[in-house]
């Protein structure tokens, strides 16, 4: 095993030396089978999506080629396995598929939303008119109330779908990320109190202005802080933190404003993390599953990204990275 293979798999050369391949990389990892086939048939075998379990138990997707090695006289000396980490390619493909899905959904959403809105207005108005009829029995108010509340809920979903269709261009102007976070917390004040959640603020006061759309960014931070609150059913602590990052590789190496929302809630299991940003993925009774996909869409429109760090039972951090305005505007204010 060369140093690159040690780094990739987490196994040391001394750990692997002298042991059967299938013991170091047990099935269902296909490495041992590939090796055996190569020896038996006398030609190379490959698996471009081979799953390998690293020493720490995490999974790696590796593009694997097994080849025969001969000495100069043509006698077989053994085989060599070449592993190439393709997880990053997989991640990028997944991201692409997601944005394709999002774009298609956006177009569909805009169409459906327009068609659904008008009948909703009619239903709501009819329920209100019914209530105003002199002969309307008060005992039925409960039902008209349900009609009106549910119509309002549908309207909210349709509104979110429309904003998701992303047809409004960003209204960019210099804005301060600390202020936007503060506004989100202000809007959530009564919710925070009701849920017995304390807020810890760790703002970087020197953070430069950012050329963004403050209303859309407010929506992002409302979604993230609300999710944080909802993850702490029995109260807890929500931390909001901002900082300036001079070189953010996630933003093409530009300077970025970084905002983090950390809860001490349920956390997100790894298998759920993959679905977090998919439209309509929700684990909540009243959830639409659009909060995070909308947030990602808005942040990506700003040229930024959202990252998640989460541990089950300990809580989650949602980190938003937003590239700063051009040098003239932001970085030196
Ligand atoms: N801070 C968090 N802690 C734990 N789980 C989270 C957190 N944020 C999001 N999730 C998980 O991700 C899912 C999707 O979140 P998202 O905000 O997109 O939709 P939602 O909160 O379910 O519904 P909506 O935002 O429309 O009310 C949630 O249902 C929840 O399972
Ligand atoms: Mg949400």
């Amino acid at each position: 095993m060369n140093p690159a293979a040690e780094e990739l798999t987490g196994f040391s050369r001394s750990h692997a030396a002298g042991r059967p391949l299938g013991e170091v990389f047990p099935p269902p990892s296909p490495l041992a089978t590939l090796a055996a086939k190569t020896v038996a048939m006398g030609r190379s075998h490959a698996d471009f999506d081979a799953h390998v379990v690293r020493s720490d138990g995490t999974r790696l997707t590796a593009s694997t080629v097994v080849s025969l090695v001969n000495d100069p006289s043509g006698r077989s000396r053994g085989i060599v396995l070449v592993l190439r980490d393709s997880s990053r390619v997989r991640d990028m493909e997944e991201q692409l598929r997601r944005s394709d899905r999002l774009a298609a959904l956006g177009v569909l959403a805009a169409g459906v939303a327009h068609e659904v809105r008008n009948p909703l207005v009619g239903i709501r108005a009819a329920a209100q008119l019914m209530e105003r009829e002199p002969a309307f029995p008060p005992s039925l108010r409960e039902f008209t109330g349900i009609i009106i509340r549910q119509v309002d809920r549908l309207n909210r979903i349709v509104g979110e779908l429309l904003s998701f269709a992303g047809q409004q261009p960003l209204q960019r102007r210099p804005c301060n990320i600390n202020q936007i976070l503060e506004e989100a917390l202000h809007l959530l004040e009564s919710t925070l109190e009701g849920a017995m959640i304390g807020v810890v603020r760790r703002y970087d006061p020197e953070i430069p202005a950012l050329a963004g759309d403050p209303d859309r960014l407010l929506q992002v931070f409302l979604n993230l802080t609300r999710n944080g609150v909802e993850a702490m059913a029995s109260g807890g602590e929500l931390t909001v933190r901002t900082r300036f990052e001079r070189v953010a590789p996630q933003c093409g190496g530009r300077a970025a404003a970084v905002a983090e929302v950390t809860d001490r809630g349920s956390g997100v299991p790894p298998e759920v993390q993959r679905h977090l940003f998919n439209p309509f993925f929700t684990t909540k009774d009243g959830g639409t599953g659009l909060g995070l996909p909308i947030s990602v869409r808005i942040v990506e429109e700003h040229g930024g990204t959202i990252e998640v760090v989460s541990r089950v039972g300990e809580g989650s951090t949602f980190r938003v990275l937003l590239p700063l305005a051009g040098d003239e505007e932001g970085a030196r204010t």
Side-chain angles (χ1 to χ4, degrees):
M1 271 174 100
N2 69 1
E6 290 185 315
E7 194 182 322
L8 198 63
T9 63
F11 291 114
S12 66
R13 189 188 179 117
S14 56
H15 169 85
R19 299 175 57 194
L21 192 59
E23 200 179 300
V24 184
F25 302 109
S29 172
L31 299 196
T33 320
L34 282 179
K37 275 201 234 163
T38 304
V39 174
M41 298 164 76
R43 62 174 176 82
S44 272
H45 279 78
D47 181 340
F48 298 110
D49 281 311
H51 289 300
V52 176
V53 178
R54 290 196 185 88
S55 64
D56 62 1
T58 54
R59 259 162 64 119
L60 162 79
T61 310
S63 162
T64 306
V65 179
V66 188
S67 317
L68 291 163
V69 183
N70 295 335
D71 67 13
S73 64
R75 258 188 322 212
S76 169
R77 284 197 47 207
I79 54 168
V80 59
L81 267 88
V82 178
L83 304 182
R84 244 176 101 186
D85 183 2
S86 52
S87 316
R88 263 193 73 77
V89 178
R90 288 283 160 282
D91 285 352
M92 275 160 60
E93 278 175 2
E94 173 56 29
Q95 208 173 356
L96 265 180
R97 263 198 297 276
R98 204 165 63 212
S99 44
D100 268 0
R101 257 198 319 258
L102 290 187
L105 183 75
V107 174
L108 186 72
V112 173
H114 278 120
E115 291 309 305
V116 168
R117 254 201 178 153
N118 290 337
L120 285 181
V121 173
I123 294 171
R124 196 181 196 283
Q128 280 178 325
L129 286 174
M130 230 148 60
E131 283 181 347
R132 280 184 217 146
E133 277 297 303
F136 186 77
S139 60
L140 292 185
R141 250 174 207 281
E142 189 191 335
F143 300 115
T144 43
I146 292 176
I147 295 175
I148 292 171
R149 277 197 307 279
Q150 294 298 325
V151 165
D152 288 345
R153 180 169 134 74
L154 279 175
N155 251 324
R156 187 175 73 91
I157 295 177
V158 168
E160 279 177 18
L161 274 172
L162 270 179
S163 83
F164 191 62
Q167 278 159 343
Q168 313 94 311
L170 294 182
Q171 308 277 327
R172 284 188 191 255
R173 54 191 158 88
C175 45
N176 180 300
I177 203 165
N178 297 344
Q179 268 170 19
I180 300 177
L181 266 167
E182 205 42 42
E183 201 178 329
L185 291 172
H186 181 67
L187 288 171
L188 276 184
E189 215 159 71
S190 59
T191 314
L192 287 162
E193 263 170 34
M196 310 228 292
I197 288 172
V199 178
V200 178
R201 294 167 168 82
R202 296 270 179 274
Y203 294 138
D204 173 356
E206 315 261 271
I207 206 155
L210 140 113
D213 184 329
D215 293 335
R216 311 289 294 280
L217 292 175
L218 176 65
Q219 207 184 340
V220 172
F221 292 124
L222 270 174
N223 285 336
L224 296 184
T225 43
R226 194 182 290 131
N227 279 348
V229 171
E230 287 164 354
M232 295 190 280
S234 42
E237 196 176 82
L238 190 78
T239 306
V240 290
R241 195 178 274 118
T242 57
R243 68 190 150 82
F244 171 60
E245 199 148 298
R246 200 162 291 281
V247 182
Q250 300 94 327
C251 298
R254 281 174 290 175
V258 182
E260 291 177 354
V261 178
T262 302
D263 63 66
R264 296 205 186 145
S266 48
V268 189
E271 68 275 13
V272 175
Q273 269 188 44
R274 301 193 302 127
H275 305 295
L276 278 187
F277 299 101
N278 287 344
F280 303 118
F281 173 79
T282 182
T283 55
K284 299 171 192 169
D285 273 348
T288 63
L290 285 173
L292 285 177
I294 288 175
S295 304
V296 168
R297 153 80 56 109
I298 294 172
V299 170
E300 284 179 353
E301 276 173 356
H302 282 83
T305 55
I306 299 188
E307 298 175 346
V308 189
V309 185
S310 184
R311 270 178 201 280
V312 174
E314 288 180 24
S316 318
T317 294
F318 283 76
R319 180 182 303 127
V320 177
L321 290 103
L322 293 160
L324 286 166
D327 289 339
E328 343 61 75
E329 271 188 69
R332 286 191 210 108
T333 50

